[in-house]
Amino acid sequence: MIRIAAALLIVTGVLGLVFLGQERWDAAAYQTHAAQALIIARSPETPDTISVVVRGAGIGEPDSGLARIDIPRIGITSMIAAGDDHKSLQRGVGFIRGTARLGGAGNVGLAGHRDTYFRNLRLIAVADTIVITTPKHQYHYVVDWKRVVTPESMAVLAPSDSALLTLVTCYPFYYVGPAPQRFVVRARRLEGGFVSAPAAPLTPP
């Protein structure tokens, strides 16, 4: 019985490592492919009539599923997946469905795991700059506040007439198991709205 139990533990451990490896490979592949597609879409040589789309259209400009978030001061860089389901959040920072379209007016909601793409979000400070890059534009936001709320506090994602960006992750950052609270960062788009600039290469996580 001891040998059987030991064998089962070994098999379970190996299967767990294989599953984790597959998820990491899928995430790296998605980040690389999406980053390359975004660079192509933003290239001056790419005609406006050509749409380069990664799975999950509708998070940015019409007919585009490409977008990236950068928070330079704290080292956060990730492609944005079009959804906040398990697979999307494994692949990158996720667009919270039902919130405003990236670059448009309203409250845009993005979610990320506290132990991967939003690991460094704990270091964010008021007045930090957040950059959202889409095929046509680069949007700049400045952080107004950060706070800890309960999972039921959906008011942070409420619609707005202003151009806002709300980042959400689980809290505490080093909690073992499902975290009981949420860490929320609110930023507003800078006056002038956006600038057009080349997209920098992205290194997969």
Side-chain angles (χ1 to χ4, degrees), residues 163-175:
L164 303 177
L165 178 66
T166 302
L167 309 182
V168 182
T169 192
C170 292
Y171 184 88
F173 283 90
Y174 297 110
Y175 193 86

Side-chain angles (χ1 to χ4, degrees), residues 140-154:
H140 292 249
Y141 296 80
V142 61
V143 175
D144 278 339
W145 52 257
K146 56 182 179 177
R147 65 184 58 158
V148 176
V149 303
T150 64
E152 295 77 26
S153 300
M154 300 302 294

Side-chain angles (χ1 to χ4, degrees), residues 89-110:
L89 294 179
Q90 287 293 331
R91 288 178 160 182
V93 170
F95 172 73
I96 301 176
R97 295 188 183 279
T99 62
R101 185 185 294 272
L102 288 169
N107 186 9
V108 179
L110 300 179

Side-chain angles (χ1 to χ4, degrees), residues 13-36:
V14 170
L15 290 176
L17 289 173
V18 169
F19 178 74
L20 179 61
Q22 288 178 331
E23 284 198 334
R24 287 183 178 274
W25 180 89
D26 178 70
Y30 177 83
Q31 289 280 326
T32 299
H33 176 53
Q36 291 172 346

Side-chain angles (χ1 to χ4, degrees), residues 75-148:
I76 288 179
T77 297
S78 174
M79 298 305 295
I80 300 173
D84 53 0
D85 57 283
H86 173 77
K87 191 164 189 176
S88 294
L89 294 179
Q90 287 293 331
R91 288 178 160 182
V93 170
F95 172 73
I96 301 176
R97 295 188 183 279
T99 62
R101 185 185 294 272
L102 288 169
N107 186 9
V108 179
L110 300 179
H113 282 316
R114 61 195 161 109
D115 55 354
T116 55
Y117 302 99
F118 272 176
R119 179 184 289 113
N120 284 354
L121 199 61
R122 69 190 189 281
L123 305 174
I124 203 161
V126 171
D128 276 349
T129 298
I130 301 173
V131 182
I132 301 292
T133 303
T134 65
K136 294 183 180 179
H137 300 112
Q138 199 173 69
Y139 302 93
H140 292 249
Y141 296 80
V142 61
V143 175
D144 278 339
W145 52 257
K146 56 182 179 177
R147 65 184 58 158
V148 176

